[in-house]
Amino acid sequence: MNFKSYLLRFFSFTIFAMMISCDKDFNEIGTNIVGGDNDHYLFDRYENASIKAYNQKIGAVAMNNLPINPLGIYKNPVFGTTTAGFVSQLEMASGSIGRKFNNTDSTLYQDLPIIDSVILNVPYYSKVIGTVTSEGISTYQLDSIYGEAGSKMRLSVYESNYFLRDLDPTAQFTEQQVFYNDMQEIENQKIPFVLNNLSVFDDKNLDGHENAQFYFDKREHKTTVKNSENVDVPTRSVPSLRLHLDKATFYNKIINAPTSQLASNTIFKNYFRGLYFKVEDLGNSNSMAMLNFANANAKVTVYYTEDLKVTIGSTTTFEKKNKTFDLNFAGNRVSLQSNSNENMDYLSAANATQEASKLYLKGGEGSIAIIDLFGPDADNNGIADEVEQIKANGWLINEANLTFYIDKTAITGQAIEPNRLMLYDLNNNRVLLDYLTDQSLNSRNPKQNKFIHGGILLDEDDVFVKQIKDETTGLITNRGTKYKIRLTNHIKNLINKDSTNVRLGLVVTESINTIGFSKLKTPIGNIKKVPQMSALSPVGTILYGTNIPVGDPNYANRLKLEIYYTKPD
C-alpha cells in the first residue's frame, strides 16, 4: 500500500469514529461500530502471534469508599452465590446539630421535640418509561439490577458498633485505612436490634414488616409530608430503597444526645458509628442492586415536631412546627461480600497454574485472567524474540485486537453475561494507552463510553448486544458471542518504542469509566490490586483460553491476537 492510500484510509476511519460518537443508543439499535474483517481489506493480517492465558483466583478485596455499592444476593449457576451487604458512617448534613435538642431554650420552645418518623431513602438507578398523565403517575425501569428485581430477601438494618477510622495506625496514621469485603467484625459488633422492623402496612409491605420480604420495587413512591405550617403536601419520588427506622433509637441518639456528641461530625461518627445493612436468603432470593449511597438524595431523614412558644401581649400559645434533620451516608463506606456454594469446576480451574483452555472471570472476590503476549526472550535482551522479528520486518501496525469468545456450552440461559470486560497493565496496575487515548462517548449509555477500545459484549457480527430476559421462562433470549478489545497503541509502543512487554490482566467491570484499583488482602506474587469496578461486580463469564490444540472443535474460538499491518514498500 502506498502512503496516499494509507492516509485516505486513516482519515476515513477518523471521520467514521467522529460520526459514531454522536448521541445514539447503540445498545438498543445494534449499530456495528467495532469493525469486522471488511474494514481491514487493505491491510495484511498476522494472527499467529504467541499468546498464553492463565486463570488466577483472588481472595478478599479492599472495598471501602467505592463509587457504588452492591446490595443483595446474586446466584449464578456457574460460579455460585454472592451475598453483598454494606456498612456506612453517617454525617449530620449541617455539620452540627445547631441548637442542641437536649438543651431546649424554654423561652422559645415547649418541652423536647417529638419524632414523627425516621425514613431511610436511597434512590435506585432507574429511568422513566411511561407516564399516566391524568394521575401524574410515572412508570420506571430499574437499571443495574442483577438477577430478578422482584425477588425477595430478608433485609435487616442495624446500628453498627464498629468504628470505621480514617487513617491506618499501622502506617503511623499517614495512609487511609483499608477495609476488606470479608470483615466479620461488622457482624460481630453490630447492635443486635433490627431498626427496620416497624409494622408498616401498605401495598408494598403486605406482611407489615419492611425487612421480612424486601425486594427492589420499581414503583415510584407516593407520600404525604407536612410542611412547617402543618399542611399536608403530597409528593412523588423515584423508586428507591425506602425504609422506616426505629424512632426510639434515633430519639435516644439524636434528641437525647449529650451536647458534646453533636458538636461536629468528627465526634458524631464515633458516637453514632453508622448503619449496617445485612441481607439473608429466603431460599429462592436472587436479586442484587448497585446503589449510589453518595447520591445527594441518599440519606436518613428524621421528621420531628417542636412546639414554638408564641407570646402576644400577656397571652402565650404554642404552635406546632414540622421540621426535618438529615443524616448523609458520608464518611467511610464499606461493601461486604461473601461467596458460597461455589462450583467445584470453577474453583479447580481458577486455582490451576497451567496455561488455560478456559478463562473464568468473576467479579468481587472472584477470579481474573492473566495474558502474556509474544512469547519468550531467548537471547535475554529484554525484548521478546517475536517482537524483534516484527521490528525487523518493518511492519507499520495499523490495528491490533484481542478477541475473546464465550464458551456457550458452559454459560446457561439463566446467567447474565458481563456487559463489559476490562484489559489493563497487570504489572503496574494501570489502564492501557488505548484506554487513555479513546475519547469516544455514548451519552445515552455512559457504560459504553470508550467503545473503540472496546470490551463490550458483542454478537457474531460485532454488534453490541442488549441482553433480554424472557419474563415467562426467566432465560436470556439475546445472548452475546464474544468480546473484542483494541490495543493498537499498546502494540505500537512495543514495536516502535521498545516499551516493556508487561503482563495483561483481564476482568469483568461494572463500568469502564472508573479506573481506580483496590488492594488485595493477600497479594498473589506481584498481583497486589485489581480494578475497583471489578471488585464490586457480582457477575462472571467463561471464555475460551489459549491451551486448545489444533484439531479441537473449539480451536477456532481460542483467544488470539490479530494484528493488521502494512508492509514497507
Side-chain angles (χ1 to χ4, degrees):
M1 179 193 300
N2 59 36
F3 185 71
K4 182 177 180 181
S5 297
Y6 172 71
L7 281 179
L8 178 61
R9 175 158 186 82
F10 173 80
F11 286 118
S12 297
F13 175 80
T14 302
I15 294 171
F16 176 65
M18 293 173 62
M19 292 174 60
I20 61 177
S21 65
C22 63
D23 185 10
K24 294 182 180 180
D25 192 346
F26 300 110
N27 194 33
E28 294 185 0
I29 65 176
T31 302
N32 184 339
I33 65 170
V34 177
D37 287 339
N38 290 337
D39 291 328
H40 305 114
Y41 68 95
L42 295 177
F43 302 146
D44 292 305
R45 181 170 67 175
Y46 177 55
E47 56 180 349
N48 295 317
S50 176
I51 179 171
K52 290 187 177 182
Y54 308 84
N55 289 303
Q56 180 61 66
K57 188 78 170 66
I58 62 172
V61 186
M63 289 195 178
N64 50 309
N65 303 326
L66 299 176
I68 56 177
N69 300 95
L71 183 72
I73 297 169
Y74 178 64
K75 295 177 180 177
N76 187 315
V78 177
F79 295 95
T81 301
T82 299
T83 302
F86 178 72
V87 63
S88 176
Q89 292 178 319
L90 295 174
E91 286 188 356
M92 299 178 291
S94 62
S96 68
I97 205 71
R99 181 182 60 79
K100 307 305 184 288
F101 286 128
N102 65 330
N103 189 27
T104 300
D105 186 342
S106 60
T107 64
L108 297 176
Y109 296 91
Q110 183 185 44
D111 302 324
L112 289 173
I114 297 174
I115 292 182
D116 293 323
S117 61
V118 181
I119 305 297
L120 182 154
N121 189 78
V122 182
Y124 302 138
Y125 287 103
S126 63
K127 64 179 180 180
V128 177
I129 59 175
T131 303
V132 180
T133 55
S134 61
E135 300 180 11
I137 300 174
S138 297
T139 55
Y140 289 82
Q141 181 181 58
L142 299 185
D143 188 17
S144 301
I145 301 283
Y146 295 101
E148 300 291 341
S151 177
K152 296 180 179 179
M153 70 194 81
R154 182 178 296 278
L155 172 62
S156 303
V157 180
Y158 298 93
E159 180 184 347
S160 175
N161 198 31
Y162 184 89
F163 181 55
L164 299 170
R165 58 177 173 249
D166 295 325
L167 301 176
D168 185 356
T170 64
Q172 291 73 50
F173 298 99
T174 60
E175 298 178 5
Q176 183 185 44
Q177 178 67 54
V178 175
F179 297 104
Y180 297 93
N181 65 290
D182 63 346
M183 288 181 62
Q184 189 61 36
E185 301 95 320
I186 302 297
E187 168 68 21
N188 296 339
Q189 296 186 35
K190 70 179 186 292
I191 306 298
F193 174 75
V194 179
L195 296 176
N196 60 320
N197 65 350
L198 307 183
S199 296
V200 180
F201 291 89
D202 57 29
D203 61 342
K204 294 188 178 184
N205 305 289
L206 300 180
D207 61 356
H209 294 286
E210 293 176 318
N211 70 318
Q213 293 194 10
F214 172 82
Y215 66 101
F216 302 112
D217 197 329
K218 64 183 179 181
R219 289 173 292 177
E220 66 176 8
H221 294 289
K222 181 180 180 181
T223 58
T224 300
V225 178
K226 291 184 181 297
N227 63 18
S228 60
E229 303 304 322
N230 207 32
V231 176
D232 288 340
V233 179
T235 62
R236 296 186 185 278
S237 57
V238 298
S240 65
L241 188 160
R242 190 175 190 274
L243 304 172
H244 293 73
L245 302 185
D246 183 65
K247 293 188 291 185
T249 297
F250 283 83
Y251 186 92
N252 291 328
K253 281 291 183 179
I254 303 297
I255 304 300
N256 268 346
T259 300
S260 60
Q261 302 297 343
L262 305 177
S264 71
N265 275 318
T266 300
I267 297 172
F268 180 76
K269 285 186 292 187
N270 190 31
Y271 163 68
F272 187 7
R273 296 186 169 184
L275 297 179
Y276 164 43
F277 296 72
K278 179 181 180 179
V279 295
E280 296 172 273
D281 195 347
L282 296 177
N284 59 349
S285 305
N286 185 21
S287 186
M288 183 178 292
M290 296 293 160
L291 300 176
N292 181 7
F293 283 87
N295 186 309
N297 293 315
K299 57 190 174 182
V300 175
T301 301
V302 180
Y303 294 88
Y304 67 97
T305 59
E306 290 184 316
D307 290 327
L308 177 65
K309 183 182 290 187
V310 179
T311 302
I312 301 177
S314 60
T315 304
T316 298
T317 59
F318 294 92
E319 295 181 3
K320 179 178 288 188
K321 295 294 183 179
N322 296 285
K323 297 184 177 182
T324 61
F325 182 71
D326 290 337
L327 298 167
N328 298 327
F329 290 94
N332 291 308
R333 302 183 298 271
V334 184
S335 282
L336 307 169
Q337 285 191 27
S338 61
N339 297 327
S340 59
N341 303 318
E342 291 182 290
N343 185 289
M344 294 306 298
D345 290 339
Y346 158 58
L347 291 178
S348 176
N351 285 307
T353 58
Q354 66 267 27
E355 181 184 1
S357 59
K358 295 182 181 181
L359 303 177
Y360 289 75
L361 302 183
K362 168 69 169 60
E365 188 176 328
S367 55
I368 68 174
I370 301 172
I371 300 170
D372 292 330
L373 300 179
F374 295 122
D377 172 21
D379 56 7
N380 294 316
N381 67 347
I383 303 175
D385 300 336
E386 192 169 357
V387 172
E388 289 187 297
Q389 184 58 55
I390 294 174
K391 290 167 68 72
N393 293 339
W395 291 351
L396 177 62
I397 306 301
N398 304 112
E399 186 178 324
N401 300 300
L402 281 173
T403 303
F404 304 86
Y405 283 91
I406 299 168
D407 182 354
K408 292 187 175 182
T409 64
I411 302 297
T412 69
Q414 294 178 334
I416 299 173
E417 295 169 334
N419 286 315
R420 194 145 199 182
L421 305 183
M422 178 178 178
L423 191 71
Y424 66 101
D425 176 349
L426 187 71
N427 290 18
N428 301 294
N429 296 314
R430 62 190 182 194
V431 295
L432 300 182
L433 179 60
D434 295 81
Y435 177 101
L436 295 174
T437 56
D438 185 357
Q439 302 301 312
S440 56
L441 301 174
N442 185 339
S443 60
R444 291 192 181 182
N445 187 355
K447 288 185 178 182
Q448 291 185 351
N449 289 347
K450 297 184 179 294
F451 49 76
I452 295 175
H453 179 45
I456 301 172
L457 182 64
L458 304 173
D459 66 11
E460 190 60 45
D461 296 319
D462 287 355
V463 177
F464 292 172
V465 170
K466 181 177 181 179
Q467 299 179 71
I468 301 172
K469 177 167 288 189
D470 187 288
E471 297 296 334
T472 302
T473 65
L475 301 179
I476 304 294
T477 58
N478 187 33
R479 304 193 67 84
T481 299
K482 61 186 175 181
Y483 301 87
K484 182 179 288 187
I485 298 178
R486 183 169 298 178
L487 63 168
T488 307
N489 291 323
H490 177 72
I491 299 300
K492 283 182 177 180
N493 275 356
L494 293 180
I495 305 301
N496 302 328
K497 298 183 179 180
D498 294 330
S499 295
T500 303
N501 187 18
V502 298
R503 304 191 92 180
L504 303 178
L506 182 73
V507 295
V508 302
T509 183
E510 176 65 21
S511 172
I512 198 72
N513 300 309
T514 299
I515 59 176
F517 284 77
S518 294
K519 288 184 179 180
L520 297 181
K521 186 174 184 179
T522 304
I524 305 166
N526 293 326
I527 305 174
K528 299 179 180 180
K529 297 181 179 181
V530 293
Q532 201 174 68
M533 299 304 282
S534 171
L536 57 83
S537 175
V539 298
T541 189
I542 302 177
L543 310 171
Y544 287 105
T546 55
N547 190 18
I548 302 176
V550 177
D552 187 287
N554 294 312
Y555 181 73
N557 295 326
R558 73 194 185 285
L559 168 60
K560 50 183 173 290
L561 171 65
E562 294 176 306
I563 299 176
Y564 295 89
Y565 64 95
T566 304
K567 294 179 181 178
D569 291 335

